Amino acid sequence: MILTAEEVRKIAALARIKLKDEEVEKFRKELSVVLDYVSELEKVNTEGVEEISQVTGLENVLREDHAKLSEYRDAIIASFPERKDDFLKIKSIL
Amino acid sequence: MELAFLEISELAEKLRNKEISSVELTKYFLKRIKEYDGASGLNAFLTVTEEEALAQALEADKILASDPHASVLTGIPYAAKDLFSTKGIRTTASSKILDKFVPVFDATAIEKLNTEKAVLLGKTNLDEFAHGSSTETSAYGPSKNPWDVTRIPGGSSGGSAAAVAAGLVPFALATETGGSIRQPASLCGICGWKPTYGRVSRYGVIAMTSSNDSPGTIARSVKDLAITAEILSGHDLKDSTTSVKEIPNYAANLRSDLKGVKIGVPKEYFIPGMQPEVEARIHEAIAKLKELGAEIIEVSLPLTKYGSLVYAIVTPAEISSNLARFDGIRYGHRSKDAKDLLDIYDQSREEGFGDEAKRRILTGAYALSAGYYDAYYLKAQKVRRLLVNEFDEVFKKVDALVCASVPNVAQKIGNAKDNPLFGYIADQLNIPASMAGLPALSIPCGFAKAEDGDAIMPVGLQIIGQQWGEQNVFNIGHAYQTITDWHKKYPKGYGE
């Protein structure tokens, strides 16, 4: 499985990581190695097998959904990278 | 007084007998950290919390003086992998993106140890976001193996393993996703416990692969692991995957014989390329288990070789999702050069993440992207179901499985760099149990000469149980340690 530079750029855009040109080439090679490695899985017959993602058999763990005051408000605001008063500051969207 | 390599229960007795105070014990280990750690030393610690530790120790001493029923962990120093959130104490996950991050709450595991009045001495180094098996992907440089400082301590919990192995702390919190406790414990010649998935709360542990992540401990003996397991286990409203199942008195229940215990030896775990001397140590350990009364049964787990492949898809997929939160907006590193909102995301992540994190995020994003989901992620989760079924079948015949933790002894620092498959291969004997949520231990079972030098390095025996079968694996490990003394060995140059 050989990825193209174009594919790597597309994934990087999806993952919101800016890559330098040399990084595109580095990850193109390395991701191809990983995809090659996992391609052996094709040999396992999984016809009629249901996928699993929760291995201890839990289903729908529910709890009451009610609001409560956070004790962390000020500490969270204090850790904003940029702020104006108590507001989180970001760059322009447009 | 020789304290550096004593077990928790031995130190607890000294505290109770007033032979030593928690403040003295804390100062003693802090001094050892100053002496043997740091960038020119083992580089096991990223942050040392001297001031907080001494305050905690003082408080522990008050309790020890007034309460004859104080917990066995009261006043005992420990370290935590820098993946556990610690309120008011810098928590980096060994990543530049969290270089200055100070959590506002404690992880549940930390909170539980606080309740016991254990004393946190500091935060230990790991592979960045626990992505790796050598600590070489840490943004703060690799930790070193105390048995040979030119070699890796393993990873991702390499700092915790090196710290315990060198007698800088009696025990350490660590985490596993696919070998990150067992592999470094094995390479550093100490004991590690990877719990059943959902036995120990993940709350406040920076997420890697949520369907696997299992916080556990690294310590000097199986008894010590059992002591910590009783305290760390349990249901947590803040982690809905934790179990309400009863927590056995693991330490009190430990047995010293294995009569009536059936132990399976899976032949597929003796892989081609395994170091012959490592294999010999495992067979010797199995003979000891037989001597203790266990019935040894050869079993077969043919899907073993696919475990790492499933992991190599599922793990990056979950990582790409879990690491999406590090976007430079609310906390952590924000790029100084960002001109608009998209720049904040793209550049903060470019500057903040190391190569391994980027590689895994990209691999995961690819495996989950439109058109590839079925071929990669879905396929992997189907094979994972077959792996789970295969373990279920074998546990109808045996109480536990034993095999090597790692097929080779610790490698030289430098081999992992630029090898995108290093971790998947290094952890191949640990990963299948992780994918099935099983509890497992690694305990020292002797030494072998490195194939790339003259160093004599530790070998680890892996013991795997069925889900919630912690007691079985602790019993087997403990019984083994009643007739062997490999767990009492420590590296030269770290004595008093």
Side-chain angles (χ1 to χ4, degrees), chain B residues 412-480:
Chain B
K412 293 264 190 192
I413 291 171
N415 287 354
K417 200 180 177 296
D418 298 326
N419 178 358
L421 301 178
F422 183 85
Y424 304 133
I425 289 166
D427 299 340
Q428 59 183 311
L429 301 185
N430 307 133
I431 286 171
S434 295
M435 297 313 302
L438 307 177
L441 304 182
S442 178
I443 61 171
C445 67
F447 294 84
K449 188 175 158 295
E451 286 180 328
D452 56 349
D454 293 328
I456 304 295
M457 301 300 290
V459 177
L461 177 73
Q462 182 176 200
I463 308 167
I464 304 169
Q466 55 187 321
Q467 284 185 1
W468 320 109
E470 258 79 5
Q471 190 72 61
N472 275 341
V473 296
F474 287 142
N475 284 351
I476 294 167
H478 176 71
Y480 178 79

Side-chain angles (χ1 to χ4, degrees), chain B residues 311-332:
Chain B
Y311 184 83
I313 294 173
V314 173
T315 298
E318 294 191 33
I319 285 169
S320 74
S321 161
N322 272 327
L323 269 57
R325 75 192 67 179
F326 303 106
D327 57 5
I329 299 293
R330 291 159 302 153
Y331 59 92

Side-chain angles (χ1 to χ4, degrees), chain B residues 273-352:
Chain B
M274 184 174 187
Q275 222 180 300
E277 250 198 284
V278 170
E279 189 170 342
R281 294 298 92 78
I282 301 305
H283 287 302
E284 288 158 17
I286 292 168
K288 287 281 178 196
L289 298 176
K290 202 170 172 185
E291 208 177 289
L292 287 157
E295 186 186 341
I296 307 295
I297 302 164
E298 185 177 300
V299 296
S300 176
L301 294 162
L303 292 173
T304 300
K305 63 177 175 185
Y306 297 110
S308 297
L309 310 184
V310 172
Y311 184 83
I313 294 173
V314 173
T315 298
E318 294 191 33
I319 285 169
S320 74
S321 161
N322 272 327
L323 269 57
R325 75 192 67 179
F326 303 106
D327 57 5
I329 299 293
R330 291 159 302 153
Y331 59 92
H333 172 73
R334 180 185 284 188
S335 174
K336 300 273 178 291
D337 308 326
K339 292 188 180 59
D340 60 23
L341 182 69
L342 193 58
D343 282 352
I344 295 182
Y345 301 142
D346 285 351
Q347 290 172 207
S348 301
R349 288 162 69 79
E350 155 70 1
E351 293 161 12

Side-chain angles (χ1 to χ4, degrees), chain A residues 23-35:
Chain A
E23 281 184 306
V24 170
E25 184 51 20
K26 171 183 158 64
F27 289 120
R28 191 189 68 74
K29 282 188 194 146
E30 292 177 355
L31 261 58
S32 299
V33 171
V34 174
L35 293 174

Side-chain angles (χ1 to χ4, degrees), chain B residues 165-433:
Chain B
L168 307 186
V169 275
F171 79 100
L173 286 178
T175 64
E176 257 232 23
T177 302
S180 282
I181 289 176
R182 285 167 283 168
Q183 188 253 17
S186 175
L187 300 189
C188 288
I190 42 165
C191 306
W193 165 53
K194 180 265 176 218
T196 303
Y197 178 77
R199 183 79 283 191
V200 177
S201 171
R202 291 177 290 117
Y203 180 73
V205 179
I206 295 168
M208 174 179 170
T209 306
S210 303
S211 71
N212 272 25
D213 292 346
S214 305
T217 37
I218 286 175
R220 320 204 66 81
S221 70
V222 174
K223 190 176 170 194
D224 281 0
L225 294 177
I227 288 169
T228 61
E230 280 177 31
I231 286 157
L232 294 171
S233 297
H235 183 243
D236 182 6
L237 286 172
K238 293 169 182 159
D239 174 0
S240 59
T241 57
T242 50
S243 172
V244 293
K245 277 185 202 297
E246 199 187 331
I247 304 153
N249 296 318
Y250 294 125
N253 293 342
L254 289 173
R255 300 169 42 179
S256 53
D257 74 73
L258 296 175
K259 287 193 185 74
V261 178
K262 290 181 179 163
I263 298 178
V265 179
K267 60 180 179 199
E268 291 81 3
Y269 280 69
F270 296 86
I271 55 168
M274 184 174 187
Q275 222 180 300
E277 250 198 284
V278 170
E279 189 170 342
R281 294 298 92 78
I282 301 305
H283 287 302
E284 288 158 17
I286 292 168
K288 287 281 178 196
L289 298 176
K290 202 170 172 185
E291 208 177 289
L292 287 157
E295 186 186 341
I296 307 295
I297 302 164
E298 185 177 300
V299 296
S300 176
L301 294 162
L303 292 173
T304 300
K305 63 177 175 185
Y306 297 110
S308 297
L309 310 184
V310 172
Y311 184 83
I313 294 173
V314 173
T315 298
E318 294 191 33
I319 285 169
S320 74
S321 161
N322 272 327
L323 269 57
R325 75 192 67 179
F326 303 106
D327 57 5
I329 299 293
R330 291 159 302 153
Y331 59 92
H333 172 73
R334 180 185 284 188
S335 174
K336 300 273 178 291
D337 308 326
K339 292 188 180 59
D340 60 23
L341 182 69
L342 193 58
D343 282 352
I344 295 182
Y345 301 142
D346 285 351
Q347 290 172 207
S348 301
R349 288 162 69 79
E350 155 70 1
E351 293 161 12
F353 288 132
D355 283 351
E356 182 73 26
K358 283 178 190 164
R359 185 157 68 215
R360 294 201 188 194
I361 291 169
L362 295 173
T363 308
Y366 181 79
L368 292 174
S369 63
Y372 297 105
Y373 176 86
D374 284 5
Y376 292 103
Y377 190 72
L378 194 65
K379 177 76 184 181
Q381 295 288 47
K382 286 179 177 178
V383 180
R384 185 179 193 176
R385 162 85 65 186
L386 295 175
L387 274 168
V388 170
N389 293 351
E390 190 171 270
F391 276 119
D392 282 350
E393 280 305 309
V394 86
F395 282 120
K396 287 178 184 163
K397 290 182 269 188
V398 297
D399 301 302
L401 302 165
V402 297
C403 53
S405 296
V406 188
N408 307 83
V409 298
Q411 299 184 38
K412 293 264 190 192
I413 291 171
N415 287 354
K417 200 180 177 296
D418 298 326
N419 178 358
L421 301 178
F422 183 85
Y424 304 133
I425 289 166
D427 299 340
Q428 59 183 311
L429 301 185
N430 307 133
I431 286 171

